Amino acid sequence: MKFTDYQTDGFYDELFEKAGVPHEAAKPLIAKIESLPPGDLHRRQQAAEAAFLQMGVTFTVYGSDEGTEKIFPFDIVPRVIEPGDWLQIERGLKQRIEALNLFINDVYHDQNIIKDGIIPGELLNSADSFRPQCVGLTPQRDIWIHVTGTDLVRDQAGKLMVLEDNLRCPSGVSYVLQNREVLKRTFPNVFQSMHVQPVYDYPNRLLAALQYLAPRGVAEPTVVVLTPGMYNSAYFEHAYLAQQMGVELVEGSDLVIQDGFVKMRTTKGFQRVDVIYRRIDDDFIDPKVFREDSCLGVPGLMDVYRRGNVALANAPGTGIADDKAVYAYVPQIIKYYLNQDMILPNVETYLCSEPNQLDFVLKNLDKLVVKAVNLSGGYGMLIGPHSTKKEQTEFAAQIRECPRNFIAQPTLGLSRAPTIVGDDFEGRHVDLRPYILYGEDIFVMPGGLTRVALRKGSLVVNSSQGGGSKDTWVVAPSDGRAEQSQGASSQSQTQSQTQKTNSKSQTQGAKDA
């Protein structure tokens, strides 16, 4: 397969400057693909899909007529990010997370940003994601946002922008790690020649960030991953990360509150838990404080958390900062707390709660992307140019009924990347979700989940809406570390940590990957 007939069609392309001319960093990859014997790339694609099937790399689609468990679609032609672009992404994300962490802390304490007139108080009072139960809370180390997945896009000119923040229970990082393992076997030699930055150490860095949160005086903290259970859409990831970190995967029924501490049921009795990486939404973590009908959480957990006897990652209440209406104020938030200009700009956003902006949105529904502020996964969204008059009328009624629940953005010509379609390459729109850890410092994993809209012309990249993924290669400077050279140490480190942790306890009923 050759790229001879591949066209960029006026969009910014992640591998090609223009038809027939690859970006400098992508040239070795393009040369490698074009040098393969006839049929070889298809065989490699089939081998990658077989590997995912064997590894059980799945996600769940609720309400699907085709069954719930899906193999995550994967395209073996990777996305390549040049060093200069990655430097901007890394700096911009660190700035954003630092500011948003300060914002959340302020919101649940003095609310100076409201008193100083930077954002309206009504914005918080009307937010479904604001948790009054968290007012006055001070999380361990003053860190609220421990794991973040921020969605980035490029516009038609190639400008990098933040599309939205995911600060509650962001998912997808397990696919990043599995994609890389498969691609290293698919293109084993090109990694080193291109100086692709490694992602293998994410589980160790995640564990270190979680251990950093342990209550004062705990030298060897016990960390667990709290999952809603096997029917959750991201259960594979919960099990995978627990296994990779060498910690226990637990459900709410595996934990109890005793003597002011969280305890885990084990074959040797109860064991204290110091840090919980929770993959359960706020509303379900403690039926005594949030939803009374929740069977997923741990009754009394929030009381132990308030006392400082357990750490929760991410902290309850962080959802206020990924409300899509609050997102519109992030430039002001960064300026207010850090006195800096935003490094990674937002996409232009219209707040339907503002009368003038509401009027503009209603008159331009056929041109805009309208989003419900508290939904994700591609749900509750209208893509104007691809919508019908009936859909626009229905959305207009919803917006008028509750303007605060909606924002609108211009329809962007998202960047594209070559994707295998039949016996040829075709451009498909992509975004990028890098993962950020906030522990002793802020770390941005070099790469992230490149999501690709597999349907021709579609702008919706979510897996629940028919999207797939690609591996993301961040090219280091010529003296940078190559992924290929680090693989052996990755495996030995993970095995060592797993053995060390598993020797401490055996959890009765814990869910293995």
Side-chain angles (χ1 to χ4, degrees), residues 174-226:
S174 61
Y175 302 121
V176 177
L177 301 174
Q178 294 284 15
N179 287 354
R180 179 58 55 85
E181 287 302 311
V182 170
L183 255 291
K184 283 168 65 178
R185 295 196 292 268
T186 305
F187 299 110
N189 298 321
V190 76
F191 274 93
Q192 197 159 13
S193 66
M194 289 181 62
H195 301 282
V196 178
Q197 293 198 48
V199 298
Y200 71 86
D201 58 347
Y202 179 88
N204 288 333
R205 287 183 177 272
L206 173 60
L207 180 60
L210 295 172
Q211 291 172 331
Y212 179 71
L213 306 176
R216 305 285 182 179
V218 179
E220 294 187 17
T222 297
V223 178
V224 299
V225 177
L226 176 61

Side-chain angles (χ1 to χ4, degrees), residues 103-104 106-107 111-125 320 325-334 336-337 351 354:
F103 167 73
I104 297 171
D106 187 17
V107 161
Q111 297 194 347
N112 289 319
I113 197 169
I114 296 174
K115 295 173 184 177
D116 291 338
I118 306 301
I119 65 173
E122 180 58 26
L123 186 72
L124 299 183
N125 297 333
I320 185 60
V326 172
Y327 157 94
Y329 288 90
V330 173
Q332 294 93 315
I333 289 171
I334 290 175
Y336 181 76
Y337 293 108
L351 296 171
E354 298 292 329

Side-chain angles (χ1 to χ4, degrees), residues 10-24:
F11 293 98
Y12 184 91
D13 195 272
E14 298 294 337
L15 294 187
F16 286 87
E17 293 181 13
K18 57 183 179 181
V21 182
H23 294 296
E24 188 64 32

Side-chain angles (χ1 to χ4, degrees), residues 79-139:
R79 178 204 197 138
V80 177
I81 299 179
E82 302 195 30
D85 285 342
W86 184 251
L87 179 61
Q88 180 192 2
I89 290 172
E90 187 177 42
R91 291 176 57 239
L93 291 176
K94 287 182 177 181
Q95 177 197 57
R96 194 176 185 94
I97 297 309
E98 182 180 1
L100 287 175
N101 191 75
L102 293 170
F103 167 73
I104 297 171
N105 194 64
D106 187 17
V107 161
Y108 289 113
H109 289 89
D110 298 329
Q111 297 194 347
N112 289 319
I113 197 169
I114 296 174
K115 295 173 184 177
D116 291 338
I118 306 301
I119 65 173
E122 180 58 26
L123 186 72
L124 299 183
N125 297 333
S126 60
D128 289 345
S129 54
F130 179 76
R131 296 287 178 263
Q133 303 92 330
C134 296
V135 171
L137 275 176
T138 301

